[in-house]
Amino acid sequence: MTSELLDQALVTQALIEEATKKSGLIWVQGAGEPAACALWHVWHEGAACLVGDGPGEQPLSGLVGGGSAEVTVRSKDKGGRLVSWTARVVQLEPASEAWEAAVAELKGKRLNAPDGEAMTGRWARECRVLRLEPTGTVLPLPDGDLAARPVPSPATTREPVPAGLPKLLLKKRKRK
């Protein structure tokens, strides 16, 4: 490998690692899936680690051990796309050394766990822990908006503000 190619590979690796480390969410599209879904993760030992597919955890649809995935990383500050990369999906076996190391990192980042300290036992019994290992390939960023239209629902229908609401809000401010 020439030094120019080696330099390019190191720059690519650094870009993927830094962008993914700093992003709270990554958009992951498994092989054969129609769209990407947002997943929380931690960056650990050169890969994005995920936990899911169990009760109360994120779905990992389309992500199969030994398969591949496309990962798009967004900016934590502005929300814009920074980099898209391909990954090899590796499923970690519960109680293995790699699983224990990944779960130790994931445990610290999991918010609002219903079972607190017992969550690692639940993850071992009912969930999957995956590593998304970069293959070194950076994909071109997609053009345009990739957002899907929301499903029609009465819960998302906006109604006009009632005519009396501004007056009620102003009266409460004057009383204080």
Side-chain angles (χ1 to χ4, degrees):
M1 191 179 262
T2 67
S3 84
E4 188 176 307
L5 288 175
L6 182 60
D7 289 345
Q8 183 61 36
L10 290 174
V11 168
T12 299
Q13 180 182 348
L15 171 65
I16 290 170
E17 183 173 341
E18 284 304 309
T20 308
K21 266 186 197 178
K22 293 183 180 193
S23 182
L25 288 174
I26 53 177
W27 292 86
V28 181
Q29 184 173 2
E33 288 296 306
C37 60
L39 301 172
W40 71 273
H41 70 288
V42 296
W43 185 265
H44 179 66
E45 295 180 357
C49 296
L50 313 166
V51 64
D53 278 353
E57 300 297 342
Q58 61 192 352
L60 301 176
S61 57
L63 298 177
V64 180
S68 64
E70 290 183 13
V71 179
T72 301
V73 181
R74 67 177 181 83
S75 164
K76 193 171 187 176
D77 297 335
K78 305 289 183 186
R81 294 178 215 125
L82 292 176
V83 64
S84 287
W85 48 277
T86 59
R88 185 170 59 96
V89 180
V90 177
Q91 184 165 335
L92 303 177
E93 292 301 317
S96 68
E97 190 175 314
W99 187 89
E100 293 289 344
V103 164
E105 292 293 318
L106 288 161
K107 180 180 167 185
K109 299 291 183 182
R110 174 64 164 94
L111 302 176
N112 304 323
D115 47 3
E117 291 298 315
M119 78 178 141
T120 56
R122 178 174 53 85
W123 287 352
R125 289 186 312 275
E126 303 171 1
C127 297
R128 294 189 305 144
V129 176
L130 303 177
R131 282 177 52 90
L132 302 180
E133 298 175 346
T135 62
T137 304
V138 175
L139 303 170
L141 291 175
D143 289 335
D145 184 10
L146 300 178
R149 283 220 172 288
V151 178
S153 163
T156 59
T157 303
R158 283 194 63 152
E159 298 290 329
V161 175
L165 184 62
K167 291 179 186 175
L168 288 172
L169 293 174
L170 288 175
K171 283 183 184 178
K172 288 184 179 181
R173 284 187 182 168
K174 289 180 182 177
R175 289 183 192 165
K176 291 182 180 180

